[in-house]
Amino acid sequence: MSSLCLPDSLTPLLMHVEPLLAAADKYQLGEQVSVEWSESETVDIQIEERQFSLVFNQAEADIAGYKVLDQWIAPYPELCEIQQKVAADPSLVVCGLPTEKGCVDIWHHNGEARAVYCHHAGASEPQRAMLLAALALDYPLEDAVTLSRAHARGYFESHADGYGETGWPMTRELFPRPLTANHQEVDELGWSSKEVAVAPFVATDPAQLALYPVVDSAEWVERLLSMGVTTTQLRIKDPAEPTLEAQVKQIITAGNQHQAQVYVNDYWQLAIKHQAYGVHLGQEDLETADLQAIQQAGLRLGLSTHGYYEILRAVEFAPSYIALGHIFPTTTKEMPSKPQGLNRLALYQKLIGDQFPTVAIGGIDLARAEKVWRTGVSSVAVVRAVTQADDTQAAVDAFNQLLVRHEHTKDGDDAQ
């Protein structure tokens, strides 16, 4: 069990924190959290063996955790100034910084500042409560900040569509937008972005999405295509692999022969050079890959995501599909995040809705696939469930029989 220890000065937050933790418990969004009180002036959060603290509006505090600035008096600092301060201080979190048209929430990420922006800030105490509850539930900081703004915006609309009586924000209308190069107000706000603005990517064919094997050799791609697989991905982890380019050419030829959707993981330069169907990239690639070149070459783009903020950031670039993961523990790839689980997956699917196809990935086998499919995702990515099957064709056939979208489940089930 995790714990959230509040100082007496934050007693008013309890009326907001408890319903949020109850909703999280109902939807099984994390470990159970106990709320305690202390005479300290800091908020203390313990998750398993990890403990950190948080203070509000005490920039001079010396703590191991986060210093949140969220009460502002005019004249307000310039956004570019705050961006630089947060980039230089990993402990600094800025919430609700007023701008001419709305407010910005900012946090530190790997030496830079990231932010979300919206025109309507919402209520301040619910915002604080969700920030603390989400951190105690072990959401990463970027998701806790993003969720807290969505909850603040939805609090006064607790019976509105997309919020209902769940006490948990679900639809995108409530969420702020990440400040990226593709945001139409980024220049007006004075936010400096490492990404480059890019037009929407070519759509993938949703009719060919369902089973999506991710394999590590061109031989496997060819074998699966001959078994009737219509979407697959080549993921070779070693960029120094001497046959890399030859394998990329091989899968492109095979994809064209079978009229299949074959994606290249990571190696976007080779994908462009040989005119692949599509390329799959991670979040870190959004700042380093030449997205304009990929888009102008007519390639499809799939993007990996691992939570609320990354999903919303991916949406800004209008990819061909959004991958959601990792859902269950997996040994095929080292992951910086924890498994998301089915209930968080269901909420992520609601957040995306029908705007983009979605691919669930990570530790999915045939026994787990049905529950994953019921969340409403467009596709299920598998690795070992196919490549290590005793009978590969039988495994492919079993997945294909299962991954059929019936009318009564096409919108996905609620998290439960």
Side-chain angles (χ1 to χ4, degrees), residues 20-306:
L20 288 171
L21 293 178
D25 190 47
K26 174 183 177 182
Y27 290 109
Q28 301 176 19
L29 301 179
E31 295 296 324
Q32 197 168 30
V33 178
S34 66
V35 180
E36 303 168 5
W37 299 96
S38 91
E39 297 179 359
S40 165
E41 287 302 309
T42 67
V43 176
D44 296 312
I45 297 174
Q46 174 127 16
I47 303 168
E48 297 175 348
E49 301 301 316
R50 181 165 58 95
Q51 182 172 336
F52 59 95
S53 299
L54 181 148
V55 292
F56 289 101
N57 302 306
Q58 298 180 44
E60 71 288 348
D62 183 16
I63 62 168
Y66 303 118
K67 295 174 286 187
V68 180
L69 305 182
D70 68 349
Q71 294 176 349
W72 303 95
I73 300 175
Y76 309 124
E78 293 292 329
L79 181 56
C80 59
E81 172 191 345
I82 295 296
Q83 182 178 8
Q84 292 173 2
K85 286 185 177 181
V86 175
D89 186 352
S91 70
L92 197 58
V93 180
V94 171
C95 293
L97 177 67
T99 67
E100 186 175 341
K101 295 181 181 179
C103 75
V104 184
D105 302 302
I106 315 168
W107 64 94
H108 182 100
H109 178 84
N110 292 341
E112 65 176 350
R114 288 188 172 176
V116 290
Y117 171 66
C118 57
H119 291 163
H120 166 53
S124 59
E125 285 197 352
Q127 186 272 331
R128 279 187 169 187
M130 176 59 97
L131 178 66
L132 299 180
L135 288 173
L137 289 163
D138 206 16
Y139 280 94
L141 177 62
E142 59 190 19
D143 284 359
V145 173
T146 303
L147 269 170
S148 69
R149 184 56 57 199
H151 179 61
R153 285 160 56 83
Y155 180 72
F156 291 125
E157 306 169 22
S158 58
H159 298 286
D161 182 41
Y163 209 83
E165 298 177 356
T166 63
W168 201 267
M170 293 191 179
T171 59
R172 194 156 0 120
E173 289 74 19
L174 295 176
F175 282 80
R177 285 180 60 184
L179 280 180
T180 70
N182 261 30
H183 195 294
Q184 69 270 23
E185 296 177 59
V186 68
D187 292 332
E188 180 183 344
L189 288 165
W191 181 264
S192 176
S193 179
K194 288 185 178 180
E195 312 103 341
V196 175
V198 63
F201 288 83
V202 180
T204 194
D205 182 359
Q208 288 189 273
L209 281 174
L211 177 63
Y212 186 170
V214 178
V215 294
D216 61 4
S217 72
E219 180 183 355
W220 261 113
V221 169
E222 291 182 327
R223 184 177 174 188
L224 290 168
L225 295 181
S226 68
M227 295 178 179
V229 169
T230 55
T231 300
T232 188
Q233 179 187 134
L234 175 67
R235 183 172 70 189
I236 297 176
K237 297 178 183 180
D238 183 8
E241 165 60 46
T243 65
L244 176 60
E245 184 165 6
Q247 291 198 62
V248 169
K249 292 171 64 177
Q250 188 176 343
I251 66 164
I252 292 171
T253 299
N256 291 336
Q257 289 175 344
H258 290 273
Q259 297 183 319
Q261 303 180 146
V262 181
Y263 285 84
V264 176
N265 186 286
D266 281 348
Y267 306 110
W268 56 270
Q269 298 97 328
L270 291 176
I272 292 174
K273 178 179 178 180
H274 299 292
Q275 278 297 292
Y277 176 85
V279 62
H280 181 95
L281 299 177
Q283 285 279 317
E284 65 282 358
D285 299 312
L286 288 174
E287 297 177 5
T288 57
D290 191 339
L291 298 184
Q292 287 186 334
I294 296 170
Q295 190 273 333
Q296 290 169 4
L299 273 62
R300 285 80 178 167
L301 175 67
L303 286 177
S304 291
T305 67
H306 309 88

Side-chain angles (χ1 to χ4, degrees), residues 9-23:
S9 59
L10 295 180
T11 299
L13 291 185
L14 188 60
M15 65 174 286
H16 300 286
V17 169
E18 286 187 333
L20 288 171
L21 293 178

Side-chain angles (χ1 to χ4, degrees), residues 347-358:
L347 295 183
Y348 298 155
Q349 179 62 38
K350 283 184 175 293
L351 180 66
I352 298 170
D354 296 329
Q355 185 175 0
F356 298 98
T358 52

